[in-house]
Amino acid sequence: MKYALVTGGSRGLGRAICCKLAKMGIPVLINYQSNQQAAEEVRDAIQSEGGSAALIQFNVANKDEVMAALNQWEQEHPDDYIAYLVNNAGIRRDNVMFMMPEEDWNAVIDTSLNGFFYVTRQLLPKMMMRKHGGRIINMTSLSGLKGMAGQTNYCAAKAALIGATRALAQEAAVRNVTVNAVAPGFIETDMTKDLPQEELKQLVPMKRFGKPEEVASLVAFLCSDEASYITGEVISINGGLY
């Protein structure tokens, strides 16, 4: 059986992506670091609609936790594999660079970029060994494409993820593994609730923030058979804001 793993799957975009993939009939592993209650709510919502979901706890930025959790899952599911990986986990620690503490720089890079590396490196060999390959979707950001003042750490992490996506897509294509990135603009999530939304909406041609479900639909398409010839792409979903 082919499973999906969504890192940072307990809230916001991660929650919407988990629910959407489950509706496609894919068993979903909901990764979370500390908020077990939120993760359980996502699992229960999926199961109440007839989908299949389970929790898997680890900090994506901690190599040992990643390896331990995924190795244990693989041992418990010898005939299954994670064919769909959505690297969604990310954090913000906004500040102008000259005032940015080193720990804030490292925390953002560790979660978005090193987290991608640790999780993907663990799962990629299994995808490449299987006949049907796999799908890897990396959640980057408008910030990684255009840069945003006060987000040097976040922009650096997301821009690096774009480069990694394009390189890995070339490495994995021969094994039928596609690697793409999704770059949302302003989306209504916990990560954007502290932003001046009414002011920022005026910058968006559509004059609104996007919905998590809209992003989840794009991710679901990239996981589908219809997207089997798309790889190495960075797809923006931003209401026209570039």
Side-chain angles (χ1 to χ4, degrees):
M1 185 173 292
K2 297 192 291 186
Y3 282 74
L5 169 62
V6 181
T7 66
S10 64
R11 295 186 299 171
L13 288 179
R15 177 188 178 110
I17 292 167
C18 287
C19 293
K20 184 67 175 180
L21 294 179
K23 288 180 180 178
M24 294 171 63
I26 301 171
V28 177
L29 300 175
I30 305 163
N31 163 254
Y32 70 101
Q33 178 181 346
S34 57
N35 194 338
Q36 181 172 340
Q37 180 179 349
E40 289 175 346
E41 289 173 359
V42 180
R43 179 197 61 196
D44 294 347
I46 290 171
Q47 292 178 344
S48 69
E49 295 187 1
S52 175
L55 308 186
I56 183 166
Q57 181 182 16
F58 57 83
N59 175 6
V60 298
N62 186 310
K63 177 181 65 174
D64 293 336
E65 287 189 23
V66 171
M67 292 179 63
L70 294 179
N71 282 334
Q72 180 178 348
W73 185 87
E74 288 168 355
Q75 291 171 7
E76 294 172 353
H77 298 80
D79 298 324
D80 306 321
Y81 81 111
I82 295 171
Y84 311 94
L85 169 60
V86 183
N87 287 302
N88 170 71
I91 59 172
R92 282 177 42 221
R93 295 286 187 271
D94 294 353
N95 207 335
V96 290
M97 186 171 179
F98 78 93
M99 295 178 60
M100 184 177 293
E102 185 175 344
E103 54 265 29
D104 287 356
W105 172 270
N106 289 333
V108 171
I109 297 292
D110 284 346
T111 302
S112 289
L113 189 57
N114 291 344
F116 149 79
F117 174 67
Y118 295 143
V119 178
T120 306
R121 181 181 61 172
Q122 181 77 10
L123 298 179
L124 183 60
K126 285 79 175 177
M127 292 185 188
M128 296 177 73
M129 288 189 300
R130 301 282 182 149
K131 177 181 177 182
H132 298 291
R135 302 279 189 270
I136 299 171
I137 294 93
N138 299 319
M139 301 304 297
T140 180
S141 171
L142 172 67
S143 297
L145 290 168
K146 72 182 295 289
M148 298 284 283
Q151 289 192 328
T152 306
N153 50 359
Y154 188 74
C155 295
K158 295 301 187 181
L161 196 53
I162 288 171
T165 296
R166 289 172 170 155
L168 183 58
Q170 296 178 60
E171 295 177 11
V174 70
R175 295 291 186 174
N176 199 29
V177 176
T178 65
V179 188
N180 293 288
V182 172
F186 294 120
I187 309 295
E188 295 175 352
T189 67
D190 290 345
M191 189 174 280
T192 59
K193 67 182 181 181
D194 60 334
L195 299 178
Q197 292 199 18
E198 293 307 313
E199 176 183 339
L200 292 173
K201 284 177 183 178
Q202 302 311 308
L203 303 176
V204 182
M206 285 190 175
K207 303 301 181 187
R208 69 175 178 88
F209 278 24
K211 301 182 187 312
E213 293 75 19
E214 293 172 313
V215 179
S217 292
L218 173 56
V219 173
F221 169 70
L222 291 173
C223 286
S224 71
D225 291 340
E226 286 81 1
S228 61
Y229 202 56
I230 301 172
T231 196
E233 289 298 316
V234 182
I235 303 175
S236 295
I237 178 166
N238 57 26
L241 176 62
Y242 287 93

